[in-house]
Amino acid sequence: MSTVRSGASAPDEPFQLSLLHGFPTGPVAPPGPELAATLPVARVLIESSLPHLDRPFDYSVPAILDTAAQPGVRVQVRFNGQELSGYLLERTADSDAGHSLLPLQKVVSAVRVLTPAIAELALRIAERYAGTVSDVLRVAVPPRMARLEKEFAPDGRLDPELFLAGPTQDPGLAASAAPSVHAAPSAPSAGPVVGAGVSRWAAYHNGPAYLQHLGAGESPRAVLSALQGFGPGGWPRLIAEAVAAVRLSGRGAVVVVPDYRDLDRVEAALLELLPAGDVARLTADDGPTPRYRNFLRLLSGAAGVAVGTRSAAYAPVRDLGLVVCWDDGDDLHIEQRSPYAHSREVLLLRAGQERAACLLAGHTRSTEAERLVESGWARAVEAERTVLRRTVPRVLNTADSFEQERDPLARIARLPGAAWRAAKEGLLRGPVLVQVARAGYAPSLACETCREPARCQACSGPLAIAGAVGASAVPQCRWCSAPAQAWRCTHCNGMRLRRGATGALRTAEELGRAFPGTPVITSSGDHIKAAVQDSPALVVATIGAEPVAAGGYAAALLLDGDSLLRRENLRAGEDAVRRWFNAASLVRPAPEGGLVVITADDAAGVGALLRWDPAGYASRELSLRRELLLPPAVRIASVTGGRTAVGHFTGDVERRLAGQGIVLRTAGPAPLVMTGGATGVTSGGGPSAARQAPGRNDDDVRTLMFIPYAQAADAAGVMRAVKAAAAAKRSDDPVQLRLDGVDIL
């Protein structure tokens, strides 16, 4: 599991060698219990996020636990006077500790929940992100549900037949075990059922060849630029056909999507081609019991396809043949806890480890995916221009010279004349989508006199009117929620506020007045809708919350494009283009009258949408990043914490790397919170660092380290070792080490 054996210790760690290996210090303990006759030593990974404990420890195996103590089971051990949980990694004949070992306290469960492949994957993820294996396994292995283990593994061995035995006390299990209505009556669980008709992949260059290689048991790697996001020809069907092809070859598949709405659509598409018992849904939103039940189904082999959100990337699928990541540019794919792994990288590492096929799919192409295509690691799967023209909607930009001549006020109007006409004509044929950048009513406020942003007098957070409508609505802080009834500007002493931006609720109110008698539907904040009917209606949605119309939208208005492009983030343009394409893909094709109107200034991203060329934009963006040596052309590590601790950490890393002949480009240390009076602006943009990490203060700094890919493995290994040594010495405050954080720049 680790390159550091349990009997070895680093010279700069002040812990006693005996303590590191689970055996007692001081006087020799009395004789322990009788040990197992064969392989009496167990190597255990303790569940601890402390970096210096991220290694296997040796324990003896009592004879009474010999049968249950198998690799992969959950165990309980005694460590430094405490009872800790862990995973048994392997059994060996002897230990190199040189002293007597403490015995295993307990085998918590005889079910072998940690497979060797997932254990190896967890180690690779920890090494890539300079984290701990325990933190990775916290996401990979769901919490134990004892009732389910007693039901499906009474003797510790999972039997796939028990999952198909019929209804149980859990209604969800009965539904998942029932035969699919799409399966053949004679063999409801014999394998995938391929629907009749021409494959949706036939419209894409390299598409049929990709499916052919999957069906032949090979492992091709592709980056798919999907066209439509609705109807039977949408992207869920493409993914389902790829999974069905790999299932025909007798192998399993893992599909990872950003959120529950995408998950519902992909699961429905899979159930049209596969038996219901062959698909296991993995997401924390379903609750611990359904998640663990489906985890056991995959572990037993009763199900061969895992579909879910981030944690599904670690699903224990047997004989894995395909990994799929949909919309890898979505930041929901980033784990919010250390080591902040991205689902795309987890799946890429897993595909290489298990020699499985890989599919990165989306309406656009991220710069990371473009780097894989340009390097030759993956093949591009794209539609021909003739197919594209009859599949995607027509796109109109209100900021071009022709529209400016027709409507001179289009540049300053939030709803230019072209957008208003598109909405009016579209409502005659079906629903019209209106995409806005911000939720709420007035998400930002400013002083009426001096136009300075209005800030909370308690915490300097931005003031907003979130949900209340009307002139009497009381502004409140977006950070601390404190009302600002007697607000006064700190710059000019003014007392009147004006809207700095318009949110979804205010936009819906204005459109309701402009189109009387037309239903107005909002999808934003905590009230996100997954789908809407095909009847005429105005659907106002924030970015990423657009519902799906079964027959497609008649038109779409993409508002607030300039505010998306002006965000102080390296990926502002790339992210804006991704959100525009995702919304435009929900609109009917141009031959059916589909029209998309965007109200952003003429920029490279807008041009890519007009030409429907996401690959060209990704290639251009990647070339600029290479020229500037910015991610993903290089990897980036951010070290955040107190100035002294950050200085010591980066200094140790630079000295160790210099000994290997590696010199990294660094930036910083820079203050994490930029002092500017009541502005509250942070160096990373967005909310203040104090809100993101309550233990931080104004003295915290951040240092960035830019790492070429050829040196990334060595640099990450050194950072991981330095972090473990610093945690063992406890000489400095801990620092936060994060690799490849997309929101850092």
Side-chain angles (χ1 to χ4, degrees), residues 210 214 219-223 348 351-352 356-360 376-381:
Y210 183 76
L214 288 178
S219 301
R221 302 182 292 259
V223 175
L348 291 178
C358 180
L359 176 62
L360 301 180
W377 188 88
R379 289 290 186 91
V381 178

Side-chain angles (χ1 to χ4, degrees), residues 590-614:
E592 300 178 16
L595 176 63
V596 174
V597 178
I598 182 170
T599 62
D601 289 338
D602 196 6
V606 177
L609 181 63
L610 292 173
R611 300 187 306 273
W612 205 276
D613 184 22

Side-chain angles (χ1 to χ4, degrees), residues 42 209 398 476 498 570 715 745:
T398 60
Q476 64 181 22
R498 68 185 303 270
L570 175 66
L745 295 177

Side-chain angles (χ1 to χ4, degrees), residues 57-126:
F57 297 99
D58 288 355
Y59 287 84
S60 61
V61 181
I64 193 174
L65 299 179
D66 185 22
T67 302
Q70 299 299 319
V73 302
R74 290 182 169 103
V75 296
Q76 196 172 59
V77 298
R78 190 167 185 83
F79 187 89
N80 196 20
Q82 301 179 7
E83 298 287 343
L84 298 179
S85 300
Y87 296 96
L88 197 158
L89 299 179
E90 61 176 335
R91 295 271 297 269
T92 61
D94 51 22
S95 171
D96 55 5
H99 297 270
S100 61
L101 304 177
L102 286 177
L104 293 176
Q105 294 290 107
K106 178 183 178 182
V107 174
V108 178
S109 170
V111 179
R112 303 169 71 169
V113 293
L114 182 60
T115 64
I118 299 302
E120 182 181 353
L121 176 65
L123 175 61
R124 294 191 178 191
I125 295 297

Side-chain angles (χ1 to χ4, degrees), residues 246-448:
V246 81
R247 291 298 287 149
L248 284 174
S249 68
R251 299 176 295 167
V254 172
V255 181
V256 180
V257 296
D259 57 33
Y260 73 94
R261 295 182 300 142
D262 294 333
L263 175 57
D264 292 340
R265 298 184 63 195
V266 172
E267 184 181 21
L270 288 171
L271 293 179
E272 293 180 359
L273 302 181
L274 303 174
D278 197 38
V279 180
R281 175 186 174 114
L282 291 179
T283 176
D285 294 336
D286 290 345
T289 299
R291 179 187 175 191
Y292 195 62
R293 181 185 65 240
N294 287 331
F295 177 84
L296 294 179
R297 290 175 57 209
L298 292 165
L299 192 64
S300 68
V305 178
V307 55
T309 50
R310 290 188 301 260
S311 61
Y314 304 92
V317 175
R318 293 189 176 184
D319 194 14
L320 183 65
L322 173 67
V323 296
V324 181
C325 183
W326 169 255
D327 199 9
D328 66 291
D330 196 321
D331 55 8
L332 291 178
H333 281 295
I334 304 174
E335 180 60 43
Q336 299 303 304
R337 296 177 293 180
S338 178
Y340 312 101
H342 196 292
S343 299
R344 176 191 58 245
E345 304 304 324
V346 175
L347 294 176
L348 291 178
L349 287 174
R350 190 171 184 184
Q353 171 188 318
E354 302 190 40
R355 297 185 179 182
C358 180
L359 176 62
L360 301 180
H363 294 302
T364 57
R365 186 179 298 175
S366 65
T367 50
E368 288 82 2
E370 177 65 19
R371 188 180 68 86
L372 297 177
V373 172
E374 293 187 6
S375 66
W377 188 88
R379 289 290 186 91
V381 178
E382 303 171 300
E384 301 288 349
R385 299 301 297 183
T386 55
V387 176
L388 188 148
R389 292 189 185 97
R390 62 173 182 263
T391 307
V392 302
R394 185 168 67 93
V395 182
L396 174 67
N397 181 19
T398 60
D400 62 25
S401 57
F402 177 75
E403 291 296 329
Q404 287 294 319
E405 290 184 2
R406 297 181 61 187
D407 186 4
L409 299 180
R411 185 176 295 276
I412 62 175
R414 188 159 188 268
L415 193 68
W420 188 87
R421 290 191 298 271
K424 182 179 179 181
E425 296 173 1
L427 288 173
L428 300 176
R429 305 187 304 272
V432 174
L433 174 65
V434 182
Q435 184 194 66
V436 297
R438 301 176 180 87
Y441 187 80
S444 67
L445 300 173
C447 177
E448 177 73 27

Side-chain angles (χ1 to χ4, degrees), residues 575-649:
D575 194 49
V577 169
R578 183 182 65 83
R579 297 178 186 275
W580 291 339
F581 273 91
N582 287 350
S585 65
L586 301 176
V587 182
R588 300 170 186 172
E592 300 178 16
L595 176 63
V596 174
V597 178
I598 182 170
T599 62
D601 289 338
D602 196 6
V606 177
L609 181 63
L610 292 173
R611 300 187 306 273
W612 205 276
D613 184 22
Y617 179 83
S619 178
R620 176 184 181 276
E621 191 73 13
L622 180 60
S623 64
L624 292 176
R625 306 272 185 87
R626 283 180 175 146
E627 183 177 351
L628 299 174
L629 295 180
L630 293 174
V634 296
R635 296 189 64 190
I636 184 174
S638 66
V639 186
T640 307
R643 184 176 294 274
T644 302
V646 170
H648 289 169
F649 182 89

